[in-house]
Amino acid sequence: MDILLIAGMWLDGRAWDAVVPALEAAGHTPLALSLPGQGPERSPATLDDQVDTVVAAIDAADGPVLVVGHSAAATLAWLAADRRPGKVARVALVGGFPGDDGEPYFPVFPAVEGVVTFPGWEPFEGPDSADLDEATRRHIESLCVPVAEGVTGGVVRYESARRFDVPVTLVCPEFSAADARAWVAAGDVPELARARHVDEIDVDSGHWPMFSVPDALAAALVEAAERPHLLDLPPWEPPITGTDAEHLGASLDRLRATFRWKADGLTIDQLRRRLPSSRLSLGGLLRHLAVVEDDIFAGRIAGERSDAPASMPEGADPEAWMFDLADDVTADDLYAVYDDAVRRARERYRSLVEDGGLDAPAAMRFGGLRPHARRHVHDMLEEYGRHTGHADLLREAIDGRVGEDPDPTWTWAVLTETRTTTG
């Protein structure tokens, strides 16, 4: 796994020199970052510049990333999870906790002439530095660089609730795992109180374990990298935890993916094939479910006219258009009609959850009654429950494909482009 290493205040990528070899020996690919605004010269760099640098490193990685933030950089690591929740497999916070939204990044020491310099060891006497001998202290001091005021005074701004789905490992050096759990439970760390997956690893050291016990810190980071993470799950798998709206949207996505997998990879002749006792075909179901997606999310909930091409041509007989496919229809046409309708429906669901929630009244009335949007989304689930079962029988009759969920190696761009949940 790619492991991004971000040292705390006054330290750049050189702080990890003794940790990197052990991570490489364990088969991982560490990258120790040096950030804008670290250096002897006064710099106009800002906190946003540092966040952008971390995000760029995440984007450059080939796969999921473990982001490690030490001390104050725990906030940087958490900001990275906020910006890239779909690529950060886990965050490891070493001796630090993420700052609160709207608060300055590092207000502990004042800036002088545009920079915050290392204040010496006096503020850190006690458990923070008790394990550092004089030689190690001198070595750390030799690596310390001033940090730009635009970084330390930058305001922390989170953007995505999806950060709370990213697993967090607290690497606990000068405090214990029990201490960390108690602080989070007491509400002293609001960001982690809302995180859904938090675990801890004790490391017996002071505040700078990368210098005092680099092998022990490396072992803890290897353990964190090898713990399960949500990016191991296929994109159609519902969240392990989450809100009612998140689970409802994800359950619908799982049914969509299963249906689409049952219909995938077929020729037009195979998509037309029916069982002797039924008018249904997989091609007809692709059109039918596309129409229902538009009808429920655009029509019933939002009160909008359904979008072409999933909606039927004006004047067409609904049953004939959906289930009696014309001679000039191709397999690509059918897949595109369905995929585009699902994209539209997922976007409308996101907007629904963000703007009014599932309890918002829907546009369509049943007689004098006006159901909430939740009722219509459950109708969509029921529609898929019925027709995914039909697809099971149709596909097995074509080539023997069976299975409850899509094959783990199967991909569907619709689910990897965006998510149904908020944030």
Side-chain angles (χ1 to χ4, degrees), residues 255-268 270-272 281-287 289 331-332 334-335 338-339 387-388 390-392 394-396 398-399 401 406 410 412:
L255 285 167
R256 287 166 170 153
T258 302
F259 169 77
R260 184 62 170 78
W261 176 61
K262 294 290 183 176
D264 196 41
L266 298 176
T267 67
I268 186 59
Q270 290 171 317
L271 288 170
R272 292 178 188 276
S281 67
L282 286 171
L285 287 176
L286 284 165
R287 270 191 173 176
L289 286 170
D332 288 343
L334 296 174
Y335 293 134
Y338 177 75
D339 291 354
H387 292 311
T388 302
H390 293 146
D392 284 339
L394 289 163
R395 184 58 186 254
E396 185 175 8
I398 291 170
D399 62 4
R401 173 176 285 185
W410 179 75
W412 184 29

Side-chain angles (χ1 to χ4, degrees), residues 64 197 228-241 408 416 419:
H197 315 280
H229 57 80
L230 299 184
L231 301 184
D232 286 331
L233 301 175
W236 53 82
E237 188 70 24
I240 303 300
T241 60
T416 56
R419 287 171 57 109

Side-chain angles (χ1 to χ4, degrees), residues 61-324:
D62 291 332
V65 177
L66 170 66
V67 181
V68 180
H70 164 250
S71 190
T75 299
L76 270 179
W78 194 233
L79 283 163
D82 174 74
R83 302 299 195 270
R84 292 294 185 271
K87 282 213 64 177
V88 176
R90 181 176 288 271
V91 169
L93 308 180
V94 182
F97 301 91
D100 297 341
D101 188 72
E103 295 297 321
Y105 175 62
F106 189 79
V108 181
F109 299 105
V112 177
E113 296 183 357
V115 295
V116 177
T117 57
F118 179 64
W121 292 105
E122 184 177 352
F124 305 107
E125 290 302 329
D128 285 352
S129 61
D131 63 336
L132 301 177
D133 58 27
E134 284 303 315
T136 304
R137 292 185 183 210
R138 287 194 297 272
H139 175 56
I140 294 173
E141 285 186 66
S142 74
L143 297 179
C144 285
V145 294
V147 180
E149 183 178 19
V151 174
T152 61
V155 176
V156 175
R157 295 293 185 195
Y158 299 112
E159 298 176 356
S160 173
R162 289 179 60 195
R163 67 187 181 277
F164 299 120
D165 287 329
V166 177
V168 179
T169 294
L170 296 175
V171 179
C172 306
E174 73 271 27
F175 52 85
S176 70
D179 291 333
R181 285 193 293 271
W183 296 332
V184 173
D188 297 335
V189 190
E191 285 294 308
L192 295 190
R194 297 180 64 189
R196 297 184 174 113
H197 315 280
V198 180
D199 53 45
E200 307 85 14
I201 299 175
D202 277 311
V203 173
D204 187 12
S205 75
H207 190 63
W208 289 272
M210 65 275 280
F211 296 104
S212 59
V213 288
D215 288 341
L217 176 58
L221 297 180
V222 168
E223 182 179 344
E226 295 176 356
R227 286 181 173 178
H229 57 80
L230 299 184
L231 301 184
D232 286 331
L233 301 175
W236 53 82
E237 188 70 24
I240 303 300
T241 60
T243 66
D244 175 49
E246 289 169 336
H247 277 282
L248 182 56
S251 295
L252 184 52
D253 275 347
R254 183 177 186 176
L255 285 167
R256 287 166 170 153
T258 302
F259 169 77
R260 184 62 170 78
W261 176 61
K262 294 290 183 176
D264 196 41
L266 298 176
T267 67
I268 186 59
D269 288 339
Q270 290 171 317
L271 288 170
R272 292 178 188 276
R273 190 174 301 177
R274 297 168 171 167
L275 297 178
S277 59
S278 173
R279 192 182 184 185
L280 295 179
S281 67
L282 286 171
L285 287 176
L286 284 165
R287 270 191 173 176
H288 173 68
L289 286 170
V291 169
V292 177
E293 292 272 12
D294 273 338
D295 176 56
I296 285 182
F297 287 98
R300 298 189 194 184
I301 294 177
E304 302 169 4
R305 181 177 177 178
S306 298
D307 298 325
S311 301
M312 294 173 290
E314 278 199 42
D317 174 75
E319 293 292 316
W321 185 82
M322 288 186 287
F323 298 117
D324 297 331

Side-chain angles (χ1 to χ4, degrees), residues 399-421:
D399 62 4
R401 173 176 285 185
V402 295
E404 180 179 348
D405 287 321
D407 186 284
T409 62
W410 179 75
T411 59
W412 184 29
V414 171
L415 288 192
T416 56
E417 291 165 351
T418 56
R419 287 171 57 109
T420 313
T421 54

Side-chain angles (χ1 to χ4, degrees), residues 12-81:
D12 58 22
R14 297 171 295 172
W16 303 97
D17 284 353
V19 177
V20 164
L23 297 179
E24 292 175 333
H28 298 287
T29 306
L31 174 61
L33 294 178
S34 293
L35 301 173
Q38 295 176 322
E41 301 298 327
R42 181 169 177 170
S43 168
T46 66
L47 177 61
D48 287 342
D49 294 328
Q50 292 202 347
V51 174
D52 290 345
T53 299
V54 178
V55 168
I58 293 170
D59 289 342
D62 291 332
V65 177
L66 170 66
V67 181
V68 180
H70 164 250
S71 190
T75 299
L76 270 179
W78 194 233
L79 283 163

